[in-house]
Amino acid sequence: MDLELTPEQCLIVSTVRDFVERELYPHEDEVERLDEVPAELASSIRARAIAAGLYAANMPAELGGGGLDAVSVVLAERELGRASYALQMLVERPSNILQACVGEQRERYLLPCIRGERHDCVAMTEPEAGSDVRSMSTTAKRDGADYIINGTKHFISHADVADFVILFAATGSEETSRGPHKPITALLVDRDTPGMSIRRGPPCVSNRGYHQCELTFTDCRVPGTARLGEEGRGLELMGQWLGASRLTVAATSVGRARRVVEAATQWAAGRRQFGQPIGRFQGVGFPLADMATELEAAELLTLRAAARLDHGVMTDADAAMAKVFASEMLGRVTDRTVQIFGGMGLMSELPVERWWRDARVERIWDGTSEIQRHIIARSLLRPYGA
Ligand SMILES: Cc1cc2nc3c(=O)[nH]c(=O)nc-3n(C[C@H](O)[C@H](O)[C@H](O)COP(=O)(O)OP(=O)(O)OC[C@H]3O[C@@H](n4cnc5c(N)ncnc54)[C@H](O)[C@@H]3O)c2cc1C
């Protein structure tokens, strides 16, 4: 693994950083206050991201995307991760799984997403099926050439602004030697499809302005052509991209933590108590040193996993280690930063309390820390047959 960035990668970092500072930072306070990105602002940021060539960075160049390698995607995600989530997500990276679109699906879903004309969301989680996705109870039953969908999904990010849902539903139930097994199928469901309703979920402590929703399906009929990939192979299809999406969480956490460490360091250097900058007290300087060290370690782990992805050798455990370490590092860094800021760390006048709140979700979504540890432990034990 080459630890030096290429000139192209340096350019990506500086271009994205510049965009984030110029186009996103100025709107953070407003989004926080409104718990909303005003529609006009959202369109203008999207248009600027497209003009700057930053949109759909994760998609292949031949389809109109950025065509970046995994290390470059991680670097771009790291820089975007510095900004508030609701804003940075407007520089959209359509769901990777859409690359499985075929024929008409490409024209209807994949390409408009890459052009910024349509927006997707992914609906997997249910009230009774979170980490244990295979236990989902949403069903898609065959009716002639169509599927009839029934069930409820919750915690579905930005479904309120999505044009269609990449839905995961059980298409049957099979008895196997290890008990009942539900084949899960991915389906593309347009927002205005009769039988599907979307309503905003409860307010979340993290990421104001970026909402999660509840989706209800009642005899919702979609044509067989809505199926993404093979019937019963939805989770396997999603699994092909799971590692990349966990690296995104890791990279976002690293980017956010770097911004937070910078702010904590400046505060520790400028805030004086007992006649000297508080950073000179070991009780403040040592936590700062730990924050900076853990941050560098998380970044290296994330970049290493991305480099392995580029070489086609990244394992689930590589991605899980990056996700769990970077997201937990962000939690520690934001918490210590509140402490370094003292009372001001808890006041909404400064972004510190927001960074602390926003950090919390990174340890939960895209697979909780416990699930990541399961993946890592399993890979350690596998060679021993345990
Ligand atoms: C803000 C937000 C946005 C989200 N966006 C989306 C989205 O767009 N699409 C989507 O499909 N989902 C989304 N999710 C869902 C997210 O992926 C789930 O919340 C997550 O997978 C955990 O599921 P759960 O919340 O049901 O917790 P549970 O699975 O009920 O877990 C509860 C606790 O038990 C632990 N636990 C569970 N099983 C085990 C085990 N085997 N061993 C050890 N510990 C275990 C968990 O780690 C956790 O600590 C979102 C969630 C949030 C909070």
Side-chain angles (χ1 to χ4, degrees), residues 141-152:
K141 290 199 174 127
R142 276 284 191 183
D143 183 39
D146 299 342
Y147 289 98
I148 311 278
I149 307 166
N150 281 288
T152 301

Side-chain angles (χ1 to χ4, degrees), residues 345-365:
L346 294 171
M347 300 297 137
S348 57
E349 218 177 314
L350 296 179
V352 180
E353 59 86 27
R354 166 164 66 79
W355 294 332
W356 180 51
R357 279 188 285 107
D358 289 353
R360 193 61 187 86
V361 74
E362 306 291 354
R363 287 148 63 187
I364 291 178
W365 62 13

